[in-house]
Amino acid sequence: ISFSLPETGWVTLDVYDTMGREVGRLIDGIKSAGSHQTRFNALGLSNGIYFYRLNIDGKTLTHTMMLLK
C-alpha cells in the first residue's frame, strides 16, 4: 500500500473486511512528509474484498483492494 503525505503528521492505516471488522493495523504513528509504502501481511485471511482506511491528522481516505492468493 503506497501513499504520499503533504506534511508530517500522525497516521493510522487500518484494513477492514466487508463486514466492517478491523483485520489489521499497519501504521499507527508519526510519519514525515513524502512518499511511503507498507506491506499488508494477509496470512490467515481469505480471498475477497477488503478496505483500507488512511487517517492523517483527522482526514480520512478509504480505498478498496482485492485479495487473491
Side-chain angles (χ1 to χ4, degrees):
I1 299 173
S2 300
F3 60 95
S4 295
L5 300 176
E7 58 188 38
T8 298
W10 190 271
V11 175
T12 57
L13 179 58
D14 301 310
V15 179
Y16 298 89
D17 65 13
T18 56
M19 298 296 289
R21 296 177 293 219
E22 184 178 313
V23 297
R25 176 162 280 190
L26 308 180
I27 299 174
D28 187 12
I30 295 175
K31 292 288 184 184
S32 60
S35 297
H36 299 273
Q37 187 172 7
T38 189
R39 291 181 183 253
F40 173 49
N41 183 351
L43 190 64
L45 296 177
S46 59
N47 290 343
I49 296 173
Y50 291 85
F51 302 94
Y52 61 93
R53 182 180 297 162
L54 180 65
N55 190 313
I56 308 161
D57 286 333
K59 299 175 191 124
T60 303
L61 297 169
T62 303
H63 292 277
T64 306
M65 65 180 166
M66 173 85 61
L67 175 61
L68 298 172
K69 294 185 180 182

